[in-house]
Each structure stands twice: as C-alpha cells, then as structure tokens.
Amino acid sequence: GAGVSQSPRYKVAKRGQDVALRCDPISGHVSLFWYQQALGQGPEFLTYFQNEAQLDKSGLPSDRFFAERPEGSVSTLKIQRTQQEDSAVYLCASSLAVSGTANNEKLFFGSGTQLSVL
Amino acid sequence: AQSVSQHNHHVILSEAASLELGCNYSYGGTVNLFWYVQYPGQHLQLLLKYFSGDPLVKGIKGFEAEFIKSKFSFNLRKPSVQWSDTAEYFCAYIRRYGGSQGNLIFGKGTKLSVKP
C-alpha cells in the first residue's frame, strides 16, 4: 500500500480482555517499530523488528505485551489481560533500511490504534 | 535518563506571526535530531532532520531548525505561520554511539493553534 496501515483504528476493551493490534508496513520495509502514545505525551518506544527478528523489546512495559512479525511483513502487537493504564494510541512505523544506518531515520508512521480499556 | 524537553505545551498564534518552538535533549554525545508534525486526524510526518554539517536545517513548508550543540537545543522556527500549520509538533532524537544507535526518543509535543 501507499503507507503504513494499522487496524483497528479504535478498540474498546474491558479490563482483563486480550487485544491484538495489527500493522501493515510499507511493502519492502525492513525495519518495523511499535510505539505507545499516552494522552498528552509523546510516542514511547516499545519494540523493534528487523525483518522477522525482534531485535529490541526493551520498551515493552510488562510481560503482558507481546509482539510478532513472523514473515517479516505484517506485525501484531498483543496485549493480554488489559489494564486501564494500557489505554493509549499504539503507533506502528516502518523504515526501508536496517536500524543503525542513515536511511533508517526516515520513519513512516501509521495513523495508530486508539485503545481504550474500561 | 534520556529525555527531550519541549518547553511549551500549547502555543496560540495569529496568522503571519513568527514561530519558535523550543526543544532541548539530554544526551551529551552524538545525536541525530528530528522534528515531526501531526496534523489533525493524520499520522506523524517528518518535518526536518539534522544529521551533521550545517546546523541550520531547512525542512518542508518553510520550517527550519537550528542545532546548537552547546545548548543541547534544536529549536523549530517559521517566520510567518499559516492557519494550515495548526498541528502538534514533536521534537525527537536518536543517540549515536560507536557504530550503533539508540531508539527514537520523543518529547511530549507542542500543540500549535493558528488563528485565521
């Protein structure tokens, strides 16, 4: 597609429910990032994939958060047993190049999934 | 801890006014610096970036930013704003160390409202 696509656009979950958020990066993009943006805050890094390999998951806030990119394209961020503090916009970004190279800094962001946990 | 400080949460200007949004980062080593913009209902977009060389960087839509290493700053400027510049602006940086780099660290953002 023309850009990074995320679905669903909005998700309302009851506390304790599991959710899965999908990201379709730009075709051919090697790097994929997930960010969490709480209300009134800037995006905060969650995890990074280079193709199918999850090279950095240092930003995942707890073991309830899990991300995968099994075929090196589409990625899913799963949150188990959601809590109210998980309410945020979850942003996905992709980049053509491998992290650590100059071109990697050109990130293309999706519109995000707004998660509300009641 | 790594951080980016954006001094203003919300800035309100009239059209044709000049704009300067402050940004300071906390890392003393080599960094790459960015400004991203998010227009209402749209995704984050890169406005401009600094890697090396001329510390005055020009971006899209008449925006520019100046990297002042001694002040750890990367302020965004525009001489004359338009109503269409109404958006949220995020300053961000990546640390560079050795042959590697850290992750993109964002500030909390500054909302700019331009009155027609």
Side-chain angles (χ1 to χ4, degrees), chain B:
Chain B
Q2 303 173 59
S3 69
V4 178
S5 296
Q6 292 186 240
H7 312 303
N8 307 99
H9 179 63
H10 193 185
V11 173
I12 303 172
L13 295 173
S14 297
E15 274 195 317
S18 65
L19 169 72
E20 181 159 2
L21 301 182
C23 171
N24 287 90
Y25 62 94
S26 64
Y27 181 63
T30 303
V31 294
N32 292 343
L33 293 153
F34 307 82
W35 277 95
Y36 279 84
V37 60
Q38 188 167 25
Y39 297 103
Q42 296 189 27
H43 56 270
L44 276 166
Q45 302 173 45
L46 183 65
L47 196 56
L48 49 78
K49 59 185 177 182
Y50 170 78
F51 285 171
S52 63
D54 188 346
L56 185 62
V57 179
K58 295 194 183 297
I60 59 172
K61 303 185 180 183
F63 286 91
E64 65 178 31
E66 185 175 12
F67 171 51
I68 303 179
K69 188 173 182 179
S70 61
K71 295 185 177 180
F72 299 91
S73 70
F74 190 55
N75 292 355
L76 182 71
R77 300 194 292 250
K78 185 171 183 178
S80 175
V81 295
Q82 300 173 310
W83 176 79
S84 58
D85 293 325
T86 295
E88 190 156 15
Y89 293 81
F90 293 91
C91 182
Y93 80 101
I94 291 177
R95 294 184 308 167
R96 290 211 164 275
Y97 40 96
S100 185
Q101 67 176 43
N103 298 306
L104 197 55
I105 307 296
F106 285 89
K108 292 186 177 183
T110 297
K111 285 186 182 176
L112 172 64
S113 299
V114 180
K115 299 182 292 184

